[in-house]
Amino acid sequence: MKFRAITAATAAAALGLGLSACGGSSGGGSGASDAVCKLPSSGGSVKIGIKYDQPGMGLKDGSDFKGFDVDIARCVASQLGYSKIDFVESPSPQREKMLQAGTVKMILATYSITPKRLKVVSFAGPYFVAGQSVLVQSNSDIKDVAGLAGKKVCSVTGSTSVDNLKEKQPNLVPQKYDTYSACAEALSTGAIDAMTTDDTILAGYANQQQYKGKFKLVGGTFSEENYGVGMKKGDGDCQKVADAIKKIVDDGSWKKALENNLGTDYKYNEKLNPPKSPSCQA
Amino acid sequence: MSASVLFDAPGPKARRRNLILGVIGCLIVAAVLGLAIWKLADKGQFDSYKWKPFTTASLWQNYILPGLRGTLIAAALAVVISAVFGGILAILRLIELPPRSSGAHYPVLAIKWLVGAWVEVTRAIPVLLMMLFIFGVLSANGMGSGNGPLIATVGGLVFYNSAVICEVIRAGVGQLPNGQREAGLAVGLSAGQTVRLILLPQAITAMLPSLISQLIVVVKDTALGYNVLYGELLYTSKPATANNGNIFAMLVVIAAIYIAINYAISKFAEWVEHRLQQRGRTAGGPADADTNLGGPSTVAPVAGGPAGQ
Amino acid sequence: MSSLFSDYDIWSALWTTIKLTVFSAIGSLVLGTIVAIFRLSPVGILRFFGTSYVNIFRNTPLTLIILSCSFVLYIQLGVALADSNAQDFAAVNAFRLAIVGLTVYHATYVCEAIRSGVNTIPLGQAEAARSIGLTFGQSMREVVLPQAFRGAVVPLGNTLIALTKNTTVAVTIGVAELSAVLKTVTERDPGSLNLAFLVVGVFFVILTLPMGLAVGWIGQRVAVKR
């Protein structure tokens, strides 16, 4: 645990209040129409793996795709000179294998850089630093991790978020579903008391039309997830992608993409974001 | 109601009693349904925004129809491949054993025994297990995406259904009069030719309703592909609910699609059976195809059999 | 091999599969009998309810039904089947919801099995019973039901076998039964996949083959010779 974000706790609380107050002003679900980056008119095509079911990060909406990951993917692709992107769904357990098999060129899917993954794939990044947090109903009296004693806390199958949380609060009751959307739906009906994963994903749900004002983030962030662009081990374009990320941050596209997708009220960890030195980690 | 083994034609007293029973039954069913609907409405499940997406073309074009396509492709592939393999397995199981003096006796015996064991084992292993295994192997070799899920789904279905189809055909042959085989051999056909030219065509015709009903099992079982990330109806449609939180509405619509397809198939099977009976070739219908494991129950005319899922 | 058993708790997965099978079998036998009574009753509207039940649930994939148990029954309707303060709430709740799903689905097959047992009895049997002067109750007890039961044994047995195999679908809502082992091995340790499949597959063969043999044997013993 490198940092213990006291500021983030207050920030998240402010976010919760902000969200319950704002109701639909931030234009959270902007589609490709006001895409942050335009692809060049000529060039090759590229396959990029994203999530299909994470509002705010990577979401398939009709024939369109939207989310922070999607916008960053478009920006990176345009920097690399691609004129067309085929988005491919990349479920969490399949990500390394898809890169190894060359099914996709890169993956932007809330994909954290970890030593274990670096053994099998390369990462360019980070392009965002998220942290695990907790989402509860906006009228809930849960204020922090300590308040989760005896509460049902949801995460997805195959994720370690709940287990991490359980180390801090051994008395919580874990519940796992196969998608975050299921957790969010269960949270909105009160079948569970809280859900936990990266604050980006949680903010995405909180900012979603049908849940607006119903959820709030509590307890600050208590981990550091460095989202990187996953690539095949030893891909020669890795450094180019890292440079592209630097450029995207510098020219303001990064901030625009974040605000478009997660709302202007989303208080990210400003100490670590935007990432100072994205690099190629082969 | 026409005459039944269970009841006599009702008299006035019985009619009154039936009426009372009917009313009580209606009340109980209405109470259960009403409670469920009230609870769902209470949770906002009938809010118009949860159902409105179903009136848009986008939802159908991007989620449900591609999913339906995935389901139908997997079902069609599985049925065709299973029919071919099932036919081959049936031929192998049906070949007449040459006499002990002939050199072919033991090889043929070995083949029949192996095929028999294969059929018993593949029918005993759950389809989902087979899918997960094939998918695991593919995924370990970097084929977990792309066509991997389709191969796993169809593969799992084929293993099980080819064995079932083999047994259905075999049961059909078992019902044919023994004279058919003898006549075939008597006119000089070989054992294999007799099976292929005389017995199989008749058996397949007789078992056609069961074979069609097996189609229902296959269509339903494609939903197991959900667990190996195959883009069937359920898997493809579910992400759409991330937009609207309307998973209940989605499940209702998907169930309705499945019910419509399978109900149509079962009606078709009934129609075929009716036609066959009119032609009088299969008097009495298939009687006992059911010593097999979870195979299609041919006793009830429409039954898809408790097979698969 | 032994590490496979200790790492993935295969014995408890097997036990879960067996428990799922037994409880769902009892449940679907009860529910299926009720539906069959509806379908066979002399009251038209009850027959309609019975037929609708069978047409709806038998034509819906089990995966969908079990998912609905989790998403609709629990998440939407708030029907929790376990002590919500217990540490193992999620596991117990999913296990019981899976039993509900399996019961609802297989009840249709139990209903059809019972109905097919009744349908195999020629009308002449009932007519003969009445014409030799047996009362309605006597003809039921002595003539109709014994034959119906015998006719239903084989399809009921086949339903039990199918049910045993279908418990694997419970993995869809995260019940830790045998196929969940395979799913976990695929994700964590693909090297052991062949072995895990072999072990789990053998368990199912051990569970269902004797059932199949028993059904065939009993079926022949009780078959009504006509």
Side-chain angles (χ1 to χ4, degrees), chain A residues 52-55 59-64 66 88-89 91 93-94 97-98 101 103 178-179 181-182 185 188-190 205 208-211 214, chain B residues 43 45 49-50 58-59 61-63 66 135 139-146 226 229 235-236 238-248:
Chain A
Y52 272 16
D53 61 351
Q54 285 176 2
L59 181 73
K60 181 179 158 150
D61 183 17
S63 55
D64 195 13
K66 56 193 195 187
V88 178
E89 185 176 19
Q94 294 300 317
K97 284 156 193 158
M98 289 174 82
T103 318
D178 60 349
T179 59
S181 305
E185 188 61 17
S188 78
T189 65
Y205 279 106
Q208 220 191 349
Q209 199 61 45
Q210 82 262 26
Y211 297 134
K214 287 188 185 164
Chain B
K43 301 276 184 189
Q45 286 306 314
Y49 80 92
K50 298 211 173 202
S58 163
L59 183 80
Q61 274 165 9
N62 295 301
Y63 298 96
F135 181 70
S139 149
N141 294 303
M143 288 177 64
S145 54
Y226 178 87
L229 313 177
Y235 186 84
T236 313
K238 221 165 135 238
T241 63
N243 288 320
N244 305 299
N246 56 349
I247 192 145
F248 168 72

Side-chain angles (χ1 to χ4, degrees), chain C residues 112-131:
Chain C
E112 290 307 273
I114 293 172
R115 205 168 69 97
S116 72
V118 171
N119 283 348
T120 52
I121 306 169
L123 190 55
Q125 294 283 325
E127 287 167 355
R130 299 308 298 278
S131 63

Side-chain angles (χ1 to χ4, degrees), chain A residues 152-198:
Chain A
K152 291 194 273 294
V153 181
C154 186
S155 193
V156 296
T157 338
S159 140
T160 53
S161 307
V162 170
D163 311 283
N164 297 342
L165 204 55
K166 212 167 157 53
E167 281 171 20
K168 296 171 188 297
Q169 176 47 272
N171 290 325
L172 62 82
V173 180
Q175 167 82 59
K176 287 191 178 183
Y177 288 124
D178 60 349
T179 59
Y180 290 113
S181 305
C183 287
E185 188 61 17
L187 183 59
S188 78
T189 65
I192 56 160
D193 303 301
M195 70 186 271
T196 182
T197 181
D198 300 353

Side-chain angles (χ1 to χ4, degrees), chain B residues 180-191:
Chain B
Q180 295 288 333
R181 181 196 287 270
E182 287 160 9
L185 293 171
V187 296
L189 298 178
S190 73

